[in-house]
Amino acid sequence: MSTHKKSILTGTIKRHPDGFGFFIPEDKEHPDVYIPRNSMEGVMTNDKVTVEVYPEKNSDRFRGDIIRVVQRGTKTFVGRFYRLNDKIGILRDEGKGWGQDLKIKIEDSMQAKDKELVAAEVLTYPEDGKPFTGKVTSVIGDALDPLTDIKRVILSSNIPQEFSADTLEEAKRFKEVPEEKDYKGRTDLRGIDLITIDGATAKDFDDAVYVEMNSEGFLLYVAIADVSHYVQTGSAIDRDAYERGTSVYFPNFVVPMLPEVLSNGLCSLNPHVPRLCMVAEMQFDFNGEMTKSDFYEAVMESKARVTYGQAQEVIDGNGDEKFNHVKDNILRLADLAKILMAKRFKEGSLDLEIPETELVIDGAGVPIDIQRSERLFAHRLIEEMMLAANVGVAKFLHGKNVPALYRIHEPPNEMAIRTLEKYMATFGGKTKLGQGKLQKRLTKALEEFENRPEAQILNILTLRSMSQAKYSPNNVGHFGLGFEFYAHFTSPIRRYPDLIIHRLLKTQVVKSNQYRLMSEDDLASAGTILSAAEQRSTKAERQVQSIKKARFMEKFLGQEFDGMISSVAKFGIFVLLREYDIDGLVRLDDLGNDKWEFDEENLRLIAKRSGMSYNIGDNIRIQVSAADPELGQINFVKAGMEIKDEMDQEFDDETGEGKSPAAKSAEKYLNRLRKKEKQNNEWSGEDRRRGEDRRQTDRRGPKDEKSFSVREDRKGHKDQKNRRNQERGGPKKTQNETRNPNQKSRFFGDKREEQGGREEKQQKAFQFRPANEGQEKKGPDENLLRMILGPAELRKANREDSQDKPKLSKKLLFAEQSKLRDNDENSEKNSDSLKDRKPNRKDSKKRGQTSNDSRGVRKARVSQGRGKGKTR
């Protein structure tokens, strides 16, 4: 239990889409603080606030109540303008970062048309009884597509976007509600208080839950949408769904596995409407042991759509009155979840707490916040129910000798565990991993670092030491979860393997000739194809995340932040920011004027002359030096690094007084780029391309890194592949050396025009130029378009066809070339690009090298944008 007392703190608030918040105190020693929904009224993400903080009972966590807003974090908002009537319109809170929609009077709309993208500044914030109002300052129009980044990634990843004509034709035949004939032979559960618990942004609800207590313990009902009733084997919808394999979740956008009439309609367990479902009814004793189970077709009606934040409030004892009719059900679910969790962890299931990233995106596709999506107990509650159903179904199919598609996770190899043990020892860990059951030893080892800064880093290192979970008919168990039998059953709307399990289950529990068993060969093929489709979607989601992070950091060029070293490599250190869930690379050259040696044994960098060292977990203050949205890369330098006197002189002459430290810092980097341009000849259009011709220096091939998380069903394997290109800077150059156009510049070759470059760097993400009075409106601000679209897309929007049109980035080329590549460890296929392989027959050490260097890569989790649980 914490020894902290009640205190008043100032810091930054992060608003979660579910309505609750997390407070980051200015006091670096104080942990983050949970802010309940009822205290977040009128508070927006990134606001500076004063909070009364107090420790939770019997917990190391803190919670608080907001006393007042000290300073607003956002003054200009971007979104589509919706005309409600002749008097008023709104900008919708699409990213859920504002807490409510922004109201704009028609006379303050600059004659914006319905659904046009606009920028608006705030007139009144929602405080002291005032409404949230604003006025339009710039009409962006339709030249800007907010989905530009996402569409680019979808195309490069070869993710199917359009449904076939046959599928669309089949979809037209479905009604809005099930027909009476569909109820025949089904158990009627419409009288049971089943509820759904999901994220605030979720639109498709796979699962509903209800639990009651009896003399034996807990009787749990898990009702799952009966997709197999509507999607017949071999139909056009089925063929399209199999090709996609999974739905793909991007910020504010989904590529669904099924047509909307099914995914958001008939197969979604929306409240207060009848729905067909498959039910897992399971009896647990008071120790959490499943004593019996039953599976059957049913018809249900959800009694409430509850978000995670709302469920948490009920559990905490201050829930909304509108949930009084399901309050007891939620509390019983919480009791059962605690018992199941305790049993699971006791038996060796790993508990890797790695916060996911939550992207808050506005209507123009511009990120307004990148935050850690902290998990509540309500998330764990629903996860435990889904795990129980998945295990129950897998055991049932195994007991009936039915060949099935299991979700398997193989144990890590011995070398990976030895390396992990070495890292833990470096941090002061005493637990040996080679004695007893490995899962239990890992859990005990991680418990040693509980509530220490190294805990998050060690969770990530543990994750990286694991193999990757996949689908297979060969059941070898699930190492991470500690289950002997495990299959995916709970999300058939968005995962095809779950649909297969539903059909196999029905061969045993439904009296119908409609469903057939699958051969081992067909199951093996499905396992390979669907595992690859899952990897494809996960990679695309990561890619969009890294692009949005880099786009977000563009407006902070030159600014300083506090961070923690999350990884050390021989080419530099990766720093995770404290304020935002973003990390970037600090290269050796930017760590100070010293020669650095990489101590691989202790995972640290040591300075030869001064003896100074950088270790994982160290705190460090950095300055943002470069951000490239096209490549999804961010570079930092150590704060306070001296810049040459001549540079300072040029900087002082050009900037003058009265500018903010952020603007001055950004100016320094612009001047550095300008100075290099003056020393070199003008580049031709072809030389400016960001394609392969700038990456031809000799590099080592990548290591095959695999990952697993206990929350692996949220499709978030920790894979920060966005860093793989960050060390591709080629050999170090002196200041007077002529730049080779085939080498990547230290700052990503940010080649803005000299005239206007300074203004573009200082242009913040949400600052726009109002139209000059008396002048005809000339359309959207070009700096804004360049910021969001990027140079290539801007040329397309302006219908320019120039010779220096950039190619696809190396990252996107890699995604294209490796879309369904195997993940076998040490496989040659895992090099970034086979076509770049340059064999060296004379030097055996260089044999088989590629020109793509992927050393030091870490894997990143990705939030799905809908807060789904690990088994969902």
Side-chain angles (χ1 to χ4, degrees):
M1 183 173 173
S2 176
T3 57
H4 289 72
K5 297 179 180 178
K6 186 178 287 191
S7 56
I8 306 295
L9 299 174
T10 301
T12 305
I13 197 74
K14 300 292 183 180
R15 186 183 187 93
H16 190 276
D18 275 346
F20 59 87
F22 275 89
F23 169 72
I24 304 175
E26 290 178 346
D27 178 2
K28 299 175 189 175
E29 302 302 317
H30 199 287
D32 292 354
V33 179
Y34 169 69
I35 309 294
R37 291 175 77 254
N38 56 17
S39 186
M40 289 290 292
E41 188 69 33
V43 180
M44 302 179 185
T45 198
N46 289 329
D47 284 351
K48 188 175 181 180
V49 296
T50 300
V51 174
E52 183 180 43
V53 177
Y54 50 92
E56 290 185 346
K57 291 181 181 178
N58 303 316
S59 171
D60 290 306
R61 298 183 70 167
F62 290 81
R63 66 170 52 219
D65 294 310
I66 294 175
I67 300 173
R68 66 188 181 95
V69 177
V70 178
Q71 183 180 358
R72 291 292 180 175
T74 310
K75 296 179 174 61
T76 305
F77 295 80
V78 178
R80 289 202 181 275
F81 179 74
Y82 293 90
R83 293 176 70 104
L84 300 184
N85 50 48
D86 292 336
K87 294 184 178 179
I88 198 164
I90 60 169
L91 258 63
R92 289 181 180 162
D93 180 19
E94 295 182 49
K96 306 293 183 185
W98 314 340
Q100 55 189 285
D101 297 336
L102 177 66
K103 297 180 178 65
I104 298 173
K105 293 180 180 178
I106 294 299
E107 57 260 35
D108 292 332
S109 68
M110 290 183 66
Q111 290 81 50
K113 298 175 185 176
D114 186 47
K115 297 182 181 177
E116 264 193 316
L117 277 169
V118 300
E121 69 177 29
V122 175
L123 297 176
T124 60
Y125 286 95
E127 55 192 1
D128 302 326
K130 297 176 186 175
F132 185 32
T133 64
K135 67 175 182 179
V136 175
T137 56
S138 176
V139 178
I140 303 169
D142 292 325
L144 175 65
D145 185 348
L147 298 177
T148 297
D149 289 335
I150 292 172
K151 287 180 177 176
R152 191 165 47 124
V153 171
I154 288 172
L155 287 171
S156 69
S157 302
N158 274 358
I159 294 171
Q161 267 186 287
E162 305 298 330
F163 288 108
S164 67
D166 289 343
T167 290
L168 296 176
E169 190 61 36
E170 285 182 10
K172 290 178 184 176
R173 302 171 194 163
F174 294 115
K175 307 285 194 297
E176 291 186 6
V177 293
E179 300 178 49
E180 196 66 36
K181 65 178 182 179
D182 295 326
Y183 301 161
K184 186 178 178 182
R186 290 179 178 265
T187 304
D188 193 341
L189 297 183
R190 283 177 286 185
I192 291 182
D193 287 344
L194 285 154
I195 61 171
T196 60
I197 302 179
D198 284 271
T201 57
K203 293 181 180 178
D204 52 339
F205 308 116
D206 297 273
D207 50 82
V209 289
Y210 173 77
V211 69
E212 59 188 40
M213 294 190 70
N214 54 31
S215 59
E216 298 177 43
F218 297 87
L219 182 61
L220 172 65
Y221 294 83
V222 177
I224 307 298
D226 192 358
V227 177
S228 62
H229 177 81
Y230 299 103
V231 181
Q232 306 295 320
T233 305
S235 65
I237 293 178
D238 184 54
R239 290 195 299 272
D240 276 8
Y242 188 67
E243 182 186 8
R244 294 169 185 233
T246 178
S247 297
V248 190
Y249 293 91
F250 299 109
N252 300 353
F253 186 76
V254 179
V255 180
M257 186 180 82
L258 300 173
E260 190 173 349
V261 67
L262 292 176
S263 60
N264 291 358
L266 270 176
C267 293
S268 183
L269 306 182
N270 301 324
H272 313 302
V273 291
R275 287 289 184 259
L276 306 184
C277 60
M278 280 296 292
V279 175
E281 183 182 327
M282 296 163 285
Q283 177 70 53
F284 294 91
D285 63 22
F286 290 103
N287 295 318
E289 194 73 46
M290 187 188 301
T291 55
K292 58 185 176 184
S293 60
D294 193 15
F295 307 94
Y296 49 86
E297 291 182 318
V299 56
M300 61 158 285
E301 187 176 298
S302 171
K303 296 301 187 290
R305 181 265 200 266
V306 187
T307 69
Y308 291 119
Q310 292 165 341
Q312 188 63 48
E313 287 187 331
V314 171
I315 295 167
D316 291 341
N318 51 9
D320 196 313
E321 288 184 2
K322 69 180 181 179
F323 296 121
N324 282 349
H325 65 298
V326 295
K327 175 182 175 182
D328 291 341
N329 181 26
I330 294 174
L331 294 176
R332 287 193 299 268
L333 285 164
D335 290 339
L336 176 58
K338 290 172 186 174
I339 293 171
L340 293 176
M341 280 173 59
K343 178 178 181 294
R344 184 161 62 86
F345 295 143
K346 182 181 177 183
E347 293 177 353
S349 185
L350 292 178
D351 184 26
L352 300 181
E353 272 299 307
I354 302 173
E356 294 189 354
T357 298
E358 191 77 46
L359 301 177
V360 184
I361 309 294
D362 68 17
V366 176
I368 58 178
D369 196 14
I370 312 285
Q371 56 184 253
R372 291 175 188 85
S373 179
E374 302 287 349
R375 294 209 305 156
L376 306 176
F377 178 73
H379 291 91
R380 287 179 169 270
L381 178 157
I382 206 69
E383 287 168 6
E384 291 302 324
M385 305 305 119
M386 300 304 107
L387 284 171
N390 285 338
V391 170
V393 169
K395 283 184 176 179
F396 175 80
L397 292 175
H398 174 78
K400 295 287 186 179
N401 292 318
V402 174
L405 193 62
Y406 294 94
R407 179 69 168 177
I408 66 168
H409 179 230
E410 296 171 288
N413 65 55
E414 189 178 342
M415 183 64 71
I417 291 301
R418 261 196 238 138
T419 304
L420 179 61
E421 189 176 58
K422 182 176 67 177
Y423 291 157
M424 288 180 168
T426 301
F427 290 132
K430 297 182 176 66
T431 302
K432 298 294 182 185
L433 300 181
Q435 305 163 356
K437 190 174 182 180
L438 181 55
Q439 290 102 319
K440 290 186 177 182
R441 306 302 294 175
L442 279 169
T443 299
K444 184 178 179 182
L446 292 172
E447 283 174 355
E448 289 185 45
F449 298 92
E450 204 167 348
N451 300 319
R452 285 171 54 182
E454 300 94 337
Q456 183 181 349
I457 305 300
L458 281 173
N459 274 291
I460 293 170
L461 290 172
T462 303
L463 186 76
R464 288 165 54 192
S465 71
M466 300 289 153
S467 58
Q468 187 166 332
K470 59 186 178 182
Y471 298 105
S472 172
N474 180 26
N475 181 33
V476 297
H478 199 295
F479 173 82
L481 292 172
F483 293 146
E484 186 180 358
F485 302 101
Y486 189 66
H488 274 173
F489 162 74
T490 54
S491 295
I493 293 177
R494 63 187 188 91
R495 288 190 310 225
Y496 198 90
D498 302 56
L499 182 54
I500 289 176
I501 291 295
H502 276 238
R503 289 168 176 163
L504 295 175
L505 184 61
K506 284 190 175 185
T507 64
Q508 305 302 306
V509 302
V510 177
K511 293 178 181 178
S512 169
N513 294 325
Q514 182 181 338
Y515 304 100
R516 296 277 189 274
L517 294 177
M518 292 178 66
S519 70
E520 296 262 2
D521 287 345
D522 288 344
L523 286 168
S525 297
T528 301
I529 292 168
L530 296 173
S531 295
E534 178 193 36
Q535 292 160 22
R536 176 181 65 186
S537 66
T538 302
K539 183 165 64 176
E541 289 164 357
R542 289 185 201 125
Q543 212 170 337
V544 167
Q545 187 184 38
S546 63
I547 289 169
K548 293 298 186 186
K549 283 183 176 183
R551 203 176 285 294
F552 179 74
M553 292 307 292
E554 275 188 309
K555 64 177 177 282
F556 294 118
L557 286 171
Q559 290 195 32
E560 294 185 0
F561 293 92
D562 290 314
M564 180 175 68
I565 297 175
S566 58
S567 183
V568 178
K570 59 184 171 184
F571 52 83
I573 59 175
F574 287 101
V575 177
L576 178 66
L577 300 186
R578 184 167 182 266
E579 189 172 346
Y580 303 106
D581 193 16
I582 288 173
D583 49 7
L585 173 67
V586 184
R587 295 176 48 171
L588 295 183
D589 296 345
D590 302 322
L591 284 173
N593 297 321
D594 210 326
K595 296 213 172 197
W596 298 91
E597 282 188 348
F598 179 54
D599 178 3
E600 190 171 3
E601 184 72 22
N602 297 302
L603 208 65
R604 62 179 179 172
L605 286 173
I606 303 174
K608 277 188 177 180
R609 290 196 291 269
S610 66
M612 182 181 177
S613 67
Y614 287 106
N615 305 272
I616 289 179
D618 287 352
N619 291 321
I620 184 173
R621 190 161 179 83
I622 57 87
Q623 190 176 40
V624 183
S625 62
D628 189 328
E630 184 181 344
L631 300 176
Q633 297 174 358
I634 301 166
N635 264 26
F636 301 146
V637 298
K638 184 183 175 185
M641 274 193 67
E642 292 184 12
I643 297 176
K644 297 191 177 183
D645 293 340
E646 55 198 303
M647 191 70 70
D648 289 335
Q649 182 62 45
E650 185 176 348
F651 163 69
D652 292 336
D653 291 343
E654 292 198 20
T655 58
E657 297 180 358
K659 295 201 174 184
S660 69
K664 290 179 180 178
S665 298
E667 199 73 30
K668 283 189 179 184
Y669 290 106
L670 273 177
N671 282 326
R672 181 178 294 179
L673 291 172
R674 293 196 198 102
K675 191 172 185 66
K676 286 191 176 184
E677 284 193 28
K678 289 176 184 177
Q679 293 172 349
N680 296 308
N681 297 327
E682 284 293 323
W683 285 21
S684 66
E686 289 186 4
D687 288 335
R688 293 188 184 183
R689 292 178 180 171
R690 294 188 178 197
E692 298 173 41
D693 54 340
R694 298 178 63 183
R695 301 239 202 275
Q696 295 303 316
T697 51
D698 195 25
R699 307 175 182 103
R700 273 185 263 176
K703 295 178 182 178
D704 179 37
E705 295 190 59
K706 301 185 179 181
S707 65
F708 161 77
S709 167
V710 171
R711 286 178 282 145
E712 47 87 23
D713 291 323
R714 297 174 82 169
K715 309 187 297 298
H717 301 303
K718 193 76 182 172
D719 184 0
Q720 295 183 354
K721 199 152 192 177
N722 54 300
R723 298 210 191 90
R724 290 203 169 188
N725 291 325
Q726 290 210 29
E727 209 308 87
R728 300 178 179 180
K732 182 178 176 182
K733 300 186 292 291
T734 62
Q735 190 169 357
N736 296 320
E737 185 181 353
T738 301
R739 182 186 303 171
N740 181 341
N742 287 330
Q743 290 179 345
K744 177 102 173 142
S745 82
R746 180 172 171 190
F747 296 104
F748 303 124
D750 188 1
K751 306 296 295 176
R752 291 183 171 87
E753 296 296 331
E754 186 168 342
Q755 295 300 323
R758 178 164 62 247
E759 290 80 5
E760 186 167 283
K761 276 283 188 183
Q762 294 175 6
Q763 184 81 5
K764 301 301 180 187
F766 308 109
Q767 292 175 348
F768 311 97
R769 299 175 185 170
N772 294 328
E773 292 183 6
Q775 293 185 8
E776 186 179 349
K777 189 171 68 174
K778 295 182 180 179
D781 186 294
E782 186 160 310
N783 284 331
L784 169 68
L785 293 178
R786 188 181 301 278
M787 176 186 72
I788 301 173
L789 288 175
E793 294 296 334
L794 180 60
R795 279 193 289 272
K796 284 183 189 174
N798 293 334
R799 297 183 179 177
E800 296 174 9
D801 191 16
S802 61
Q803 283 187 341
D804 62 344
K805 178 180 178 183
K807 296 180 181 179
L808 279 177
S809 71
K810 189 70 178 178
K811 184 160 190 175
L812 298 186
L813 285 172
F814 166 66
E816 172 71 15
Q817 292 156 2
S818 63
K819 50 184 178 275
L820 290 182
R821 190 171 293 158
D822 286 341
N823 248 353
D824 299 334
E825 188 165 8
N826 299 322
S827 170
E828 186 177 78
K829 298 177 184 178
N830 283 301
S831 68
D832 278 14
S833 176
L834 293 178
K835 70 183 181 64
D836 285 340
R837 184 175 295 283
K838 294 180 178 178
N840 189 325
R841 299 297 177 189
K842 295 180 181 179
D843 188 343
S844 61
K845 292 184 179 178
K846 294 183 180 179
R847 194 169 295 156
Q849 282 190 167
T850 73
S851 65
N852 295 309
D853 187 356
S854 300
R855 62 179 91 106
V857 178
R858 297 193 298 113
K859 302 204 167 187
R861 291 188 61 78
V862 176
S863 172
Q864 309 312 316
R866 66 197 292 258
K868 280 292 188 182
K870 63 185 150 190
T871 58
R872 313 189 65 198

